[in-house]
Amino acid sequence: KQEVTQIPAALSVPEGENLVLNCSFTDSAIYNLQWFRQDPGKGLTSLLLIQSSQREQTSGRLNASLDKSSGRSTLYIAASQPGDSATYLCAVRGGVTNAGKSTFGDGTTLTVKP
Amino acid sequence: KAGVTQTPRYLIKTRGQQVTLSCSPISGHRSVSWYQQTPGQGLQFLFEYFSETQRNKGNFPGRFSGRQFSNSRSEMNVSTLELGDSALYLCASSLLSSGGHSYEQYFGPGTRLTVT
């Protein structure tokens, strides 16, 4: 059974700081990994998708990496802003025992202080 | 392009009743997945539909069911509601590769179900 863990559960940083969010998964036979942000009471907004054959993806101030063999992904946020405050979730899709299902971590709640 | 839409946005039901939630995917997306999000269990996969067929199913009781129509719109139904079914129900749509692997998932705003 695929399990996804996100560390830390919560993070508070001053504005302008660079930060890294971590995601680990137990079954490395995944199809892809996707990072999302969720604002309170809202749906999920897709940030980055990394296919299993890729090592990283970048979008603006965001960079996500994937190391399938070690079962890890990181989301790097550069020059954080108060508007980045949200819960960040990673989701892995597929795997030997998961046949295309998506498994989510519990998320990291980020607070960026002005 | 319009995003994923879900109706209704909010719903209050009583224990024992049943409920039907609706999801309209992004135009051209034929894969629709449903998730349940609760504070205690996080986001959990319910099921995925493609071309009117259920492709994958999560570990939920048979009270949770779904279907997909020929226009890719999907509905999920929960029968005999329990207090623990109170949650945010999210729908996501995506394209599929030729190999059947899903690309980026796009989520709707969710339906907030409260069971009293």
Side-chain angles (χ1 to χ4, degrees), chain B residues 22-55:
Chain B
S22 181
C23 171
S24 293
I26 291 172
S27 178
H29 288 192
R30 294 166 63 192
S31 168
V32 175
S33 299
W34 288 90
Y35 299 85
Q36 180 196 65
Q37 187 176 33
T38 60
Q41 299 295 320
L43 260 160
Q44 292 189 289
F45 174 81
L46 280 157
F47 25 67
E48 178 192 18
Y49 285 88
F50 174 73
S51 290
E52 303 177 63
T53 301
Q54 188 180 90
R55 285 210 313 164

PDB file of all heavy atoms in Angstrom, chain B residues 22-55:
ATOM      1  N   SER B  22     -22.474  16.112  -8.141  1.00  0.00           N
ATOM      2  CA  SER B  22     -22.197  16.153  -9.566  1.00  0.00           C
ATOM      3  C   SER B  22     -20.879  16.849  -9.872  1.00  0.00           C
ATOM      4  O   SER B  22     -20.470  17.764  -9.159  1.00  0.00           O
ATOM      5  CB  SER B  22     -23.343  16.873 -10.292  1.00  0.00           C
ATOM      6  OG  SER B  22     -23.120  16.912 -11.675  1.00  0.00           O
ATOM      7  N   CYS B  23     -20.237  16.395 -10.927  1.00  0.00           N
ATOM      8  CA  CYS B  23     -18.953  16.964 -11.344  1.00  0.00           C
ATOM      9  C   CYS B  23     -18.915  17.059 -12.868  1.00  0.00           C
ATOM     10  O   CYS B  23     -19.170  16.072 -13.565  1.00  0.00           O
ATOM     11  CB  CYS B  23     -17.815  16.075 -10.855  1.00  0.00           C
ATOM     12  SG  CYS B  23     -16.189  16.496 -11.510  1.00  0.00           S
ATOM     13  N   SER B  24     -18.578  18.238 -13.363  1.00  0.00           N
ATOM     14  CA  SER B  24     -18.374  18.418 -14.800  1.00  0.00           C
ATOM     15  C   SER B  24     -16.902  18.686 -15.048  1.00  0.00           C
ATOM     16  O   SER B  24     -16.362  19.679 -14.557  1.00  0.00           O
ATOM     17  CB  SER B  24     -19.214  19.586 -15.329  1.00  0.00           C
ATOM     18  OG  SER B  24     -20.585  19.275 -15.259  1.00  0.00           O
ATOM     19  N   PRO B  25     -16.223  17.807 -15.795  1.00  0.00           N
ATOM     20  CA  PRO B  25     -14.782  17.966 -16.003  1.00  0.00           C
ATOM     21  C   PRO B  25     -14.467  19.062 -17.011  1.00  0.00           C
ATOM     22  O   PRO B  25     -15.363  19.588 -17.674  1.00  0.00           O
ATOM     23  CB  PRO B  25     -14.367  16.603 -16.549  1.00  0.00           C
ATOM     24  CG  PRO B  25     -15.575  16.108 -17.271  1.00  0.00           C
ATOM     25  CD  PRO B  25     -16.744  16.614 -16.459  1.00  0.00           C
ATOM     26  N   ILE B  26     -13.194  19.373 -17.114  1.00  0.00           N
ATOM     27  CA  ILE B  26     -12.734  20.305 -18.129  1.00  0.00           C
ATOM     28  C   ILE B  26     -13.030  19.691 -19.499  1.00  0.00           C
ATOM     29  O   ILE B  26     -12.879  18.479 -19.693  1.00  0.00           O
ATOM     30  CB  ILE B  26     -11.229  20.575 -17.953  1.00  0.00           C
ATOM     31  CG1 ILE B  26     -10.998  21.379 -16.676  1.00  0.00           C
ATOM     32  CG2 ILE B  26     -10.647  21.303 -19.154  1.00  0.00           C
ATOM     33  CD1 ILE B  26      -9.533  21.541 -16.296  1.00  0.00           C
ATOM     34  N   SER B  27     -13.432  20.522 -20.428  1.00  0.00           N
ATOM     35  CA  SER B  27     -13.767  20.042 -21.755  1.00  0.00           C
ATOM     36  C   SER B  27     -12.600  19.257 -22.354  1.00  0.00           C
ATOM     37  O   SER B  27     -11.452  19.718 -22.363  1.00  0.00           O
ATOM     38  CB  SER B  27     -14.099  21.241 -22.663  1.00  0.00           C
ATOM     39  OG  SER B  27     -14.378  20.810 -23.965  1.00  0.00           O
ATOM     40  N   GLY B  28     -12.890  18.054 -22.826  1.00  0.00           N
ATOM     41  CA  GLY B  28     -11.857  17.219 -23.422  1.00  0.00           C
ATOM     42  C   GLY B  28     -11.238  16.222 -22.453  1.00  0.00           C
ATOM     43  O   GLY B  28     -10.576  15.270 -22.877  1.00  0.00           O
ATOM     44  N   HIS B  29     -11.419  16.439 -21.169  1.00  0.00           N
ATOM     45  CA  HIS B  29     -10.912  15.489 -20.169  1.00  0.00           C
ATOM     46  C   HIS B  29     -11.913  14.355 -20.006  1.00  0.00           C
ATOM     47  O   HIS B  29     -13.093  14.593 -19.753  1.00  0.00           O
ATOM     48  CB  HIS B  29     -10.706  16.184 -18.815  1.00  0.00           C
ATOM     49  CG  HIS B  29      -9.543  17.099 -18.786  1.00  0.00           C
ATOM     50  ND1 HIS B  29      -9.047  17.627 -17.607  1.00  0.00           N
ATOM     51  CD2 HIS B  29      -8.761  17.591 -19.769  1.00  0.00           C
ATOM     52  CE1 HIS B  29      -8.010  18.398 -17.882  1.00  0.00           C
ATOM     53  NE2 HIS B  29      -7.825  18.400 -19.189  1.00  0.00           N
ATOM     54  N   ARG B  30     -11.424  13.134 -20.094  1.00  0.00           N
ATOM     55  CA  ARG B  30     -12.324  11.989 -19.990  1.00  0.00           C
ATOM     56  C   ARG B  30     -12.121  11.179 -18.712  1.00  0.00           C
ATOM     57  O   ARG B  30     -12.863  10.250 -18.439  1.00  0.00           O
ATOM     58  CB  ARG B  30     -12.147  11.103 -21.221  1.00  0.00           C
ATOM     59  CG  ARG B  30     -12.588  11.789 -22.520  1.00  0.00           C
ATOM     60  CD  ARG B  30     -12.105  11.052 -23.742  1.00  0.00           C
ATOM     61  NE  ARG B  30     -12.676   9.717 -23.810  1.00  0.00           N
ATOM     62  CZ  ARG B  30     -12.255   8.770 -24.654  1.00  0.00           C
ATOM     63  NH1 ARG B  30     -11.238   9.024 -25.458  1.00  0.00           N
ATOM     64  NH2 ARG B  30     -12.825   7.589 -24.669  1.00  0.00           N
ATOM     65  N   SER B  31     -11.087  11.545 -17.956  1.00  0.00           N
ATOM     66  CA  SER B  31     -10.850  10.863 -16.682  1.00  0.00           C
ATOM     67  C   SER B  31     -11.348  11.746 -15.549  1.00  0.00           C
ATOM     68  O   SER B  31     -10.987  12.925 -15.467  1.00  0.00           O
ATOM     69  CB  SER B  31      -9.355  10.583 -16.513  1.00  0.00           C
ATOM     70  OG  SER B  31      -9.082  10.174 -15.188  1.00  0.00           O
ATOM     71  N   VAL B  32     -12.177  11.191 -14.698  1.00  0.00           N
ATOM     72  CA  VAL B  32     -12.700  11.911 -13.539  1.00  0.00           C
ATOM     73  C   VAL B  32     -12.457  11.086 -12.290  1.00  0.00           C
ATOM     74  O   VAL B  32     -12.776   9.893 -12.243  1.00  0.00           O
ATOM     75  CB  VAL B  32     -14.218  12.179 -13.685  1.00  0.00           C
ATOM     76  CG1 VAL B  32     -14.761  12.810 -12.406  1.00  0.00           C
ATOM     77  CG2 VAL B  32     -14.482  13.100 -14.875  1.00  0.00           C
ATOM     78  N   SER B  33     -11.870  11.715 -11.285  1.00  0.00           N
ATOM     79  CA  SER B  33     -11.600  11.050 -10.005  1.00  0.00           C
ATOM     80  C   SER B  33     -12.331  11.788  -8.899  1.00  0.00           C
ATOM     81  O   SER B  33     -12.527  13.003  -8.957  1.00  0.00           O
ATOM     82  CB  SER B  33     -10.098  11.051  -9.692  1.00  0.00           C
ATOM     83  OG  SER B  33      -9.378  10.358 -10.681  1.00  0.00           O
ATOM     84  N   TRP B  34     -12.690  11.049  -7.874  1.00  0.00           N
ATOM     85  CA  TRP B  34     -13.360  11.610  -6.700  1.00  0.00           C
ATOM     86  C   TRP B  34     -12.519  11.344  -5.456  1.00  0.00           C
ATOM     87  O   TRP B  34     -11.932  10.270  -5.307  1.00  0.00           O
ATOM     88  CB  TRP B  34     -14.739  10.970  -6.516  1.00  0.00           C
ATOM     89  CG  TRP B  34     -15.770  11.392  -7.524  1.00  0.00           C
ATOM     90  CD1 TRP B  34     -16.036  10.800  -8.719  1.00  0.00           C
ATOM     91  CD2 TRP B  34     -16.684  12.490  -7.401  1.00  0.00           C
ATOM     92  NE1 TRP B  34     -17.059  11.469  -9.356  1.00  0.00           N
ATOM     93  CE2 TRP B  34     -17.474  12.502  -8.568  1.00  0.00           C
ATOM     94  CE3 TRP B  34     -16.920  13.450  -6.425  1.00  0.00           C
ATOM     95  CZ2 TRP B  34     -18.477  13.445  -8.768  1.00  0.00           C
ATOM     96  CZ3 TRP B  34     -17.920  14.390  -6.629  1.00  0.00           C
ATOM     97  CH2 TRP B  34     -18.686  14.378  -7.793  1.00  0.00           C
ATOM     98  N   TYR B  35     -12.533  12.342  -4.551  1.00  0.00           N
ATOM     99  CA  TYR B  35     -11.789  12.242  -3.308  1.00  0.00           C
ATOM    100  C   TYR B  35     -12.653  12.753  -2.158  1.00  0.00           C
ATOM    101  O   TYR B  35     -13.494  13.632  -2.329  1.00  0.00           O
ATOM    102  CB  TYR B  35     -10.512  13.091  -3.355  1.00  0.00           C
ATOM    103  CG  TYR B  35      -9.534  12.687  -4.421  1.00  0.00           C
ATOM    104  CD1 TYR B  35      -9.655  13.151  -5.721  1.00  0.00           C
ATOM    105  CD2 TYR B  35      -8.471  11.830  -4.118  1.00  0.00           C
ATOM    106  CE1 TYR B  35      -8.762  12.781  -6.698  1.00  0.00           C
ATOM    107  CE2 TYR B  35      -7.559  11.465  -5.098  1.00  0.00           C
ATOM    108  CZ  TYR B  35      -7.718  11.952  -6.380  1.00  0.00           C
ATOM    109  OH  TYR B  35      -6.823  11.580  -7.339  1.00  0.00           O
ATOM    110  N   GLN B  36     -12.377  12.198  -0.983  1.00  0.00           N
ATOM    111  CA  GLN B  36     -13.008  12.680   0.237  1.00  0.00           C
ATOM    112  C   GLN B  36     -11.924  13.321   1.095  1.00  0.00           C
ATOM    113  O   GLN B  36     -10.854  12.738   1.280  1.00  0.00           O
ATOM    114  CB  GLN B  36     -13.644  11.516   1.008  1.00  0.00           C
ATOM    115  CG  GLN B  36     -14.331  11.930   2.302  1.00  0.00           C
ATOM    116  CD  GLN B  36     -14.605  10.752   3.213  1.00  0.00           C
ATOM    117  OE1 GLN B  36     -13.680  10.117   3.703  1.00  0.00           O
ATOM    118  NE2 GLN B  36     -15.878  10.465   3.451  1.00  0.00           N
ATOM    119  N   GLN B  37     -12.191  14.515   1.603  1.00  0.00           N
ATOM    120  CA  GLN B  37     -11.220  15.170   2.469  1.00  0.00           C
ATOM    121  C   GLN B  37     -11.850  15.476   3.821  1.00  0.00           C
ATOM    122  O   GLN B  37     -12.877  16.149   3.915  1.00  0.00           O
ATOM    123  CB  GLN B  37     -10.711  16.471   1.850  1.00  0.00           C
ATOM    124  CG  GLN B  37      -9.580  17.103   2.649  1.00  0.00           C
ATOM    125  CD  GLN B  37      -9.004  18.337   1.978  1.00  0.00           C
ATOM    126  OE1 GLN B  37      -9.707  19.081   1.320  1.00  0.00           O
ATOM    127  NE2 GLN B  37      -7.697  18.549   2.142  1.00  0.00           N
ATOM    128  N   THR B  38     -11.231  14.943   4.870  1.00  0.00           N
ATOM    129  CA  THR B  38     -11.660  15.195   6.244  1.00  0.00           C
ATOM    130  C   THR B  38     -10.457  15.601   7.068  1.00  0.00           C
ATOM    131  O   THR B  38      -9.317  15.236   6.728  1.00  0.00           O
ATOM    132  CB  THR B  38     -12.298  13.946   6.878  1.00  0.00           C
ATOM    133  OG1 THR B  38     -11.329  12.885   6.874  1.00  0.00           O
ATOM    134  CG2 THR B  38     -13.537  13.509   6.128  1.00  0.00           C
ATOM    135  N   PRO B  39     -10.663  16.339   8.151  1.00  0.00           N
ATOM    136  CA  PRO B  39      -9.528  16.759   8.997  1.00  0.00           C
ATOM    137  C   PRO B  39      -8.753  15.565   9.556  1.00  0.00           C
ATOM    138  O   PRO B  39      -7.544  15.613   9.668  1.00  0.00           O
ATOM    139  CB  PRO B  39     -10.190  17.568  10.110  1.00  0.00           C
ATOM    140  CG  PRO B  39     -11.468  18.055   9.514  1.00  0.00           C
ATOM    141  CD  PRO B  39     -11.921  16.954   8.591  1.00  0.00           C
ATOM    142  N   GLY B  40      -9.444  14.479   9.856  1.00  0.00           N
ATOM    143  CA  GLY B  40      -8.786  13.346  10.490  1.00  0.00           C
ATOM    144  C   GLY B  40      -8.083  12.409   9.532  1.00  0.00           C
ATOM    145  O   GLY B  40      -7.026  11.872   9.834  1.00  0.00           O
ATOM    146  N   GLN B  41      -8.642  12.234   8.339  1.00  0.00           N
ATOM    147  CA  GLN B  41      -8.108  11.260   7.380  1.00  0.00           C
ATOM    148  C   GLN B  41      -7.416  11.899   6.192  1.00  0.00           C
ATOM    149  O   GLN B  41      -6.811  11.205   5.370  1.00  0.00           O
ATOM    150  CB  GLN B  41      -9.246  10.368   6.859  1.00  0.00           C
ATOM    151  CG  GLN B  41      -9.934   9.556   7.941  1.00  0.00           C
ATOM    152  CD  GLN B  41      -9.003   8.551   8.568  1.00  0.00           C
ATOM    153  OE1 GLN B  41      -8.201   7.917   7.878  1.00  0.00           O
ATOM    154  NE2 GLN B  41      -9.068   8.417   9.881  1.00  0.00           N
ATOM    155  N   GLY B  42      -7.491  13.202   6.072  1.00  0.00           N
ATOM    156  CA  GLY B  42      -6.870  13.854   4.926  1.00  0.00           C
ATOM    157  C   GLY B  42      -7.634  13.571   3.646  1.00  0.00           C
ATOM    158  O   GLY B  42      -8.844  13.326   3.667  1.00  0.00           O
ATOM    159  N   LEU B  43      -6.912  13.597   2.536  1.00  0.00           N
ATOM    160  CA  LEU B  43      -7.514  13.360   1.222  1.00  0.00           C
ATOM    161  C   LEU B  43      -7.426  11.879   0.894  1.00  0.00           C
ATOM    162  O   LEU B  43      -6.345  11.305   0.834  1.00  0.00           O
ATOM    163  CB  LEU B  43      -6.750  14.131   0.149  1.00  0.00           C
ATOM    164  CG  LEU B  43      -7.348  15.433  -0.309  1.00  0.00           C
ATOM    165  CD1 LEU B  43      -6.288  16.296  -0.969  1.00  0.00           C
ATOM    166  CD2 LEU B  43      -8.477  15.178  -1.287  1.00  0.00           C
ATOM    167  N   GLN B  44      -8.579  11.285   0.648  1.00  0.00           N
ATOM    168  CA  GLN B  44      -8.603   9.854   0.337  1.00  0.00           C
ATOM    169  C   GLN B  44      -9.291   9.622  -1.000  1.00  0.00           C
ATOM    170  O   GLN B  44     -10.348  10.196  -1.276  1.00  0.00           O
ATOM    171  CB  GLN B  44      -9.320   9.088   1.443  1.00  0.00           C
ATOM    172  CG  GLN B  44      -8.560   9.087   2.762  1.00  0.00           C
ATOM    173  CD  GLN B  44      -9.187   8.135   3.753  1.00  0.00           C
ATOM    174  OE1 GLN B  44     -10.266   8.392   4.276  1.00  0.00           O
ATOM    175  NE2 GLN B  44      -8.521   7.020   3.999  1.00  0.00           N
ATOM    176  N   PHE B  45      -8.708   8.752  -1.785  1.00  0.00           N
ATOM    177  CA  PHE B  45      -9.199   8.435  -3.118  1.00  0.00           C
ATOM    178  C   PHE B  45     -10.442   7.570  -3.022  1.00  0.00           C
ATOM    179  O   PHE B  45     -10.454   6.555  -2.322  1.00  0.00           O
ATOM    180  CB  PHE B  45      -8.085   7.699  -3.871  1.00  0.00           C
ATOM    181  CG  PHE B  45      -8.458   7.176  -5.217  1.00  0.00           C
ATOM    182  CD1 PHE B  45      -8.460   8.002  -6.326  1.00  0.00           C
ATOM    183  CD2 PHE B  45      -8.788   5.843  -5.373  1.00  0.00           C
ATOM    184  CE1 PHE B  45      -8.794   7.496  -7.579  1.00  0.00           C
ATOM    185  CE2 PHE B  45      -9.111   5.325  -6.619  1.00  0.00           C
ATOM    186  CZ  PHE B  45      -9.113   6.160  -7.719  1.00  0.00           C
ATOM    187  N   LEU B  46     -11.481   7.982  -3.728  1.00  0.00           N
ATOM    188  CA  LEU B  46     -12.727   7.209  -3.759  1.00  0.00           C
ATOM    189  C   LEU B  46     -12.771   6.308  -4.981  1.00  0.00           C
ATOM    190  O   LEU B  46     -12.841   5.094  -4.870  1.00  0.00           O
ATOM    191  CB  LEU B  46     -13.929   8.151  -3.765  1.00  0.00           C
ATOM    192  CG  LEU B  46     -14.337   8.731  -2.415  1.00  0.00           C
ATOM    193  CD1 LEU B  46     -15.108  10.019  -2.601  1.00  0.00           C
ATOM    194  CD2 LEU B  46     -15.159   7.718  -1.633  1.00  0.00           C
ATOM    195  N   PHE B  47     -12.783   6.892  -6.161  1.00  0.00           N
ATOM    196  CA  PHE B  47     -12.781   6.124  -7.403  1.00  0.00           C
ATOM    197  C   PHE B  47     -12.438   7.026  -8.579  1.00  0.00           C
ATOM    198  O   PHE B  47     -12.443   8.246  -8.483  1.00  0.00           O
ATOM    199  CB  PHE B  47     -14.121   5.417  -7.687  1.00  0.00           C
ATOM    200  CG  PHE B  47     -15.337   6.030  -7.052  1.00  0.00           C
ATOM    201  CD1 PHE B  47     -15.781   7.286  -7.441  1.00  0.00           C
ATOM    202  CD2 PHE B  47     -16.043   5.342  -6.073  1.00  0.00           C
ATOM    203  CE1 PHE B  47     -16.910   7.847  -6.860  1.00  0.00           C
ATOM    204  CE2 PHE B  47     -17.178   5.893  -5.491  1.00  0.00           C
ATOM    205  CZ  PHE B  47     -17.603   7.145  -5.886  1.00  0.00           C
ATOM    206  N   GLU B  48     -12.126   6.359  -9.694  1.00  0.00           N
ATOM    207  CA  GLU B  48     -11.791   7.044 -10.929  1.00  0.00           C
ATOM    208  C   GLU B  48     -12.606   6.434 -12.049  1.00  0.00           C
ATOM    209  O   GLU B  48     -12.746   5.212 -12.137  1.00  0.00           O
ATOM    210  CB  GLU B  48     -10.303   6.918 -11.250  1.00  0.00           C
ATOM    211  CG  GLU B  48      -9.926   7.587 -12.573  1.00  0.00           C
ATOM    212  CD  GLU B  48      -8.534   7.227 -13.047  1.00  0.00           C
ATOM    213  OE1 GLU B  48      -7.982   6.227 -12.573  1.00  0.00           O
ATOM    214  OE2 GLU B  48      -8.015   7.950 -13.921  1.00  0.00           O
ATOM    215  N   TYR B  49     -13.108   7.298 -12.924  1.00  0.00           N
ATOM    216  CA  TYR B  49     -13.873   6.854 -14.086  1.00  0.00           C
ATOM    217  C   TYR B  49     -13.224   7.330 -15.364  1.00  0.00           C
ATOM    218  O   TYR B  49     -12.656   8.436 -15.419  1.00  0.00           O
ATOM    219  CB  TYR B  49     -15.312   7.383 -14.012  1.00  0.00           C
ATOM    220  CG  TYR B  49     -16.141   6.649 -13.004  1.00  0.00           C
ATOM    221  CD1 TYR B  49     -16.172   7.061 -11.681  1.00  0.00           C
ATOM    222  CD2 TYR B  49     -16.870   5.521 -13.364  1.00  0.00           C
ATOM    223  CE1 TYR B  49     -16.905   6.363 -10.740  1.00  0.00           C
ATOM    224  CE2 TYR B  49     -17.610   4.822 -12.434  1.00  0.00           C
ATOM    225  CZ  TYR B  49     -17.625   5.252 -11.119  1.00  0.00           C
ATOM    226  OH  TYR B  49     -18.351   4.558 -10.179  1.00  0.00           O
ATOM    227  N   PHE B  50     -13.304   6.487 -16.363  1.00  0.00           N
ATOM    228  CA  PHE B  50     -12.823   6.840 -17.696  1.00  0.00           C
ATOM    229  C   PHE B  50     -13.737   6.165 -18.698  1.00  0.00           C
ATOM    230  O   PHE B  50     -13.977   4.966 -18.603  1.00  0.00           O
ATOM    231  CB  PHE B  50     -11.376   6.408 -17.906  1.00  0.00           C
ATOM    232  CG  PHE B  50     -10.881   6.618 -19.298  1.00  0.00           C
ATOM    233  CD1 PHE B  50     -10.611   7.892 -19.769  1.00  0.00           C
ATOM    234  CD2 PHE B  50     -10.696   5.547 -20.168  1.00  0.00           C
ATOM    235  CE1 PHE B  50     -10.169   8.111 -21.071  1.00  0.00           C
ATOM    236  CE2 PHE B  50     -10.256   5.744 -21.459  1.00  0.00           C
ATOM    237  CZ  PHE B  50      -9.987   7.025 -21.904  1.00  0.00           C
ATOM    238  N   SER B  51     -14.233   6.939 -19.662  1.00  0.00           N
ATOM    239  CA  SER B  51     -15.138   6.408 -20.680  1.00  0.00           C
ATOM    240  C   SER B  51     -16.259   5.586 -20.063  1.00  0.00           C
ATOM    241  O   SER B  51     -16.505   4.442 -20.480  1.00  0.00           O
ATOM    242  CB  SER B  51     -14.362   5.557 -21.696  1.00  0.00           C
ATOM    243  OG  SER B  51     -13.542   6.368 -22.483  1.00  0.00           O
ATOM    244  N   GLU B  52     -16.886   6.154 -19.059  1.00  0.00           N
ATOM    245  CA  GLU B  52     -18.068   5.576 -18.399  1.00  0.00           C
ATOM    246  C   GLU B  52     -17.770   4.293 -17.621  1.00  0.00           C
ATOM    247  O   GLU B  52     -18.715   3.615 -17.172  1.00  0.00           O
ATOM    248  CB  GLU B  52     -19.173   5.313 -19.437  1.00  0.00           C
ATOM    249  CG  GLU B  52     -19.587   6.558 -20.205  1.00  0.00           C
ATOM    250  CD  GLU B  52     -20.630   6.274 -21.265  1.00  0.00           C
ATOM    251  OE1 GLU B  52     -21.738   5.840 -20.900  1.00  0.00           O
ATOM    252  OE2 GLU B  52     -20.328   6.471 -22.465  1.00  0.00           O
ATOM    253  N   THR B  53     -16.486   3.976 -17.438  1.00  0.00           N
ATOM    254  CA  THR B  53     -16.106   2.753 -16.720  1.00  0.00           C
ATOM    255  C   THR B  53     -15.276   3.110 -15.493  1.00  0.00           C
ATOM    256  O   THR B  53     -14.404   3.978 -15.564  1.00  0.00           O
ATOM    257  CB  THR B  53     -15.292   1.818 -17.634  1.00  0.00           C
ATOM    258  OG1 THR B  53     -16.079   1.498 -18.784  1.00  0.00           O
ATOM    259  CG2 THR B  53     -14.893   0.547 -16.901  1.00  0.00           C
ATOM    260  N   GLN B  54     -15.542   2.433 -14.396  1.00  0.00           N
ATOM    261  CA  GLN B  54     -14.732   2.656 -13.200  1.00  0.00           C
ATOM    262  C   GLN B  54     -13.391   1.963 -13.383  1.00  0.00           C
ATOM    263  O   GLN B  54     -13.325   0.731 -13.496  1.00  0.00           O
ATOM    264  CB  GLN B  54     -15.450   2.108 -11.964  1.00  0.00           C
ATOM    265  CG  GLN B  54     -14.756   2.463 -10.654  1.00  0.00           C
ATOM    266  CD  GLN B  54     -15.499   1.908  -9.454  1.00  0.00           C
ATOM    267  OE1 GLN B  54     -15.241   0.794  -9.005  1.00  0.00           O
ATOM    268  NE2 GLN B  54     -16.444   2.672  -8.939  1.00  0.00           N
ATOM    269  N   ARG B  55     -12.307   2.739 -13.353  1.00  0.00           N
ATOM    270  CA  ARG B  55     -10.966   2.166 -13.591  1.00  0.00           C
ATOM    271  C   ARG B  55     -10.295   1.760 -12.293  1.00  0.00           C
ATOM    272  O   ARG B  55      -9.552   0.792 -12.238  1.00  0.00           O
ATOM    273  CB  ARG B  55     -10.062   3.182 -14.280  1.00  0.00           C
ATOM    274  CG  ARG B  55     -10.324   3.423 -15.724  1.00  0.00           C
ATOM    275  CD  ARG B  55      -9.065   3.817 -16.466  1.00  0.00           C
ATOM    276  NE  ARG B  55      -8.286   4.853 -15.793  1.00  0.00           N
ATOM    277  CZ  ARG B  55      -7.030   5.131 -16.096  1.00  0.00           C
ATOM    278  NH1 ARG B  55      -6.416   4.461 -17.042  1.00  0.00           N
ATOM    279  NH2 ARG B  55      -6.366   6.084 -15.460  1.00  0.00           N
TER     280      ARG B  55
END
